[in-house]
Amino acid sequence: MLIIVAPFICWATMVLSAYGITYIELLLIQGPFRMLNMINFLVFRVTRGVLFSLETCMASPDSKLIGLRKNQLNTRLRDMKRDYISFLYGFPALPADEVRDDLSTNQAAVFRDPNLAHIFFRSTNCLRKDQSSCYPQGHYFYDVAHNGLDAMATRFIEETQLLMADDPRDINISNPRLEFLWQFGLNDVFDGMIMADKAFRAGVQQSFVQLRTIHTVVFVMSLFGAILLWLALVRPTLKRAGKESLQIAEMLSQLPPQMDAEAIIAQVVLGEAEDEVAAASTKKAGPRQSSSTGMNGSVPGGSMYNKRSVDGMPGGGGA
């Protein structure tokens, strides 16, 4: 019995283990998913910062319109700083008066992915997608563009704050801070955020690749186990059952037609009372007697064939 049940127990244990690992991994990946959404937000926070900086400068010489644009730019800058700090260092790094939202998480991306930490803090390469357009050495944007994405994002935020602090008379389309935000923000900072997004996305996707591998292994092992079970257990059992069926049919063909073999087997297997078997044998033998009656009348013995008559037969149970 254990041989039959053991393969199913092993298969169930394997499947439950795989789904248990999957459930735990999906629980753990909720934080990285929120962080992935947050870095996606950071990508368009950069473009919004550049857009509202441009609108602020284009509002000149209307001082009231400049003040309105500054308020809008300040809101966008506050959102960018909040998402940036929360993404890198987790929500606890924000001021105590900050309110959590759906993207907030206590996990810090900088400590989760070493590739991401390299892009933000240790990279000395140009992060532009088009490497041919990188600043040459000696350019006044070269140093900040080759000190990691964190230095670039910090400089972007500082230049935006300085633009809002400028006198309204100095805010115009030729403002040097706008030049930095336009050229540096839309190229180096934006492309750097895209690179960081791809690096973090690859880390999140790796978790799903591992889960897919686990389930693929479980499927292949289940298929192999089913084939092995058929060859080692099911097929021999069916073969043996077929051979035994032929033996039983051969044995039953040698018994008289009046004998109720089913009742006798029930007595032996189920332990039914001998009187019940005799009554059942008599009841079932009636129609058989009439069908077995020929020109010479009833078959000798008739319904008197029961277990005792079988036991008295040569080779029967009474031998």
Side-chain angles (χ1 to χ4, degrees), residues 45 48-49 52 56 67-83 160 164:
R45 296 287 188 209
R48 283 190 175 186
F52 281 91
T56 301
L68 176 63
R69 298 305 185 193
K70 278 186 176 183
N71 291 333
Q72 295 175 342
L73 179 59
N74 183 55
T75 301
R76 303 297 177 268
L77 181 63
R78 185 178 66 250
D79 293 340
M80 180 179 177
K81 290 172 61 177
R82 181 182 186 277
D83 291 345
T160 306
M164 292 188 297

Side-chain angles (χ1 to χ4, degrees), residues 141-290:
F141 290 159
Y142 178 85
D143 290 337
V144 67
H146 290 76
N147 280 287
L149 183 57
D150 180 67
M152 295 162 58
T154 302
R155 177 71 181 273
F156 181 86
I157 293 173
E158 289 175 353
E159 291 293 334
T160 306
Q161 291 174 331
L162 291 173
L163 177 65
M164 292 188 297
D166 282 346
D167 189 274
R169 292 172 297 180
D170 298 328
I171 297 179
N172 51 61
I173 198 69
S174 61
N175 190 297
R177 307 194 191 284
L178 178 63
E179 180 186 2
F180 176 86
L181 295 174
W182 180 265
Q183 294 188 11
F184 194 81
L186 286 183
N187 293 286
D188 297 83
V189 180
F190 180 80
D191 289 350
M193 287 294 179
I194 293 292
M195 183 180 297
D197 176 76
K198 291 180 178 179
F200 192 77
R201 187 185 302 272
V204 174
Q205 289 177 342
Q206 184 62 30
S207 299
F208 288 97
V209 172
Q210 293 175 355
L211 293 179
R212 184 179 62 186
T213 303
I214 291 174
H215 284 269
T216 302
V217 171
V218 170
F219 173 76
V220 172
M221 292 183 66
S222 299
L223 186 61
F224 177 77
I227 296 174
L228 187 63
L229 182 65
W230 170 264
L231 295 176
L233 187 61
V234 178
R235 186 180 178 187
T237 302
L238 293 176
K239 202 171 182 181
R240 182 179 176 183
K243 186 182 295 184
E244 291 179 352
S245 298
L246 292 176
Q247 293 175 352
I248 293 173
E250 183 180 354
M251 181 187 68
L252 292 177
S253 66
Q254 298 176 5
L255 297 177
Q258 294 82 6
M259 183 174 296
D260 189 1
E262 295 180 3
I264 297 173
I265 293 174
Q267 179 188 358
V268 176
V269 176
L270 303 178
E272 294 183 358
E274 193 170 325
D275 296 336
E276 296 178 1
V277 175
S281 178
T282 303
K283 183 177 180 181
K284 290 185 178 181
R288 295 179 181 177
Q289 288 179 1
S290 58

Side-chain angles (χ1 to χ4, degrees), residues 258 285-286 288-303 305:
Q258 294 82 6
R288 295 179 181 177
Q289 288 179 1
S290 58
S291 63
S292 302
T293 302
M295 294 178 60
N296 297 327
S298 300
V299 176
S303 62
Y305 279 97

Side-chain angles (χ1 to χ4, degrees), residues 42-168:
L42 283 174
V43 171
F44 71 77
R45 296 287 188 209
V46 174
T47 56
R48 283 190 175 186
V50 174
L51 172 64
F52 281 91
S53 298
L54 179 62
E55 288 188 347
T56 301
C57 293
M58 293 182 65
S60 178
D62 191 341
S63 58
K64 291 184 179 180
L65 185 57
I66 290 177
L68 176 63
R69 298 305 185 193
K70 278 186 176 183
N71 291 333
Q72 295 175 342
L73 179 59
N74 183 55
T75 301
R76 303 297 177 268
L77 181 63
R78 185 178 66 250
D79 293 340
M80 180 179 177
K81 290 172 61 177
R82 181 182 186 277
D83 291 345
Y84 184 75
I85 295 174
S86 179
F87 172 73
L88 284 184
Y89 309 108
F91 186 81
L94 294 173
D97 58 346
E98 289 288 348
V99 180
R100 283 182 175 271
D101 56 19
D102 294 336
L103 298 179
S104 300
T105 176
N106 292 332
Q107 299 184 23
V110 69
F111 301 120
R112 177 179 176 84
D113 191 339
N115 293 330
L116 201 65
H118 177 79
I119 294 173
F120 273 92
F121 299 104
R122 290 189 287 272
S123 176
T124 57
N125 299 323
C126 175
L127 300 181
R128 286 194 178 191
K129 183 179 181 180
D130 183 9
Q131 292 288 311
S132 62
S133 64
C134 292
Y135 298 114
Q137 193 169 3
H139 193 279
Y140 49 93
F141 290 159
Y142 178 85
D143 290 337
V144 67
H146 290 76
N147 280 287
L149 183 57
D150 180 67
M152 295 162 58
T154 302
R155 177 71 181 273
F156 181 86
I157 293 173
E158 289 175 353
E159 291 293 334
T160 306
Q161 291 174 331
L162 291 173
L163 177 65
M164 292 188 297
D166 282 346
D167 189 274

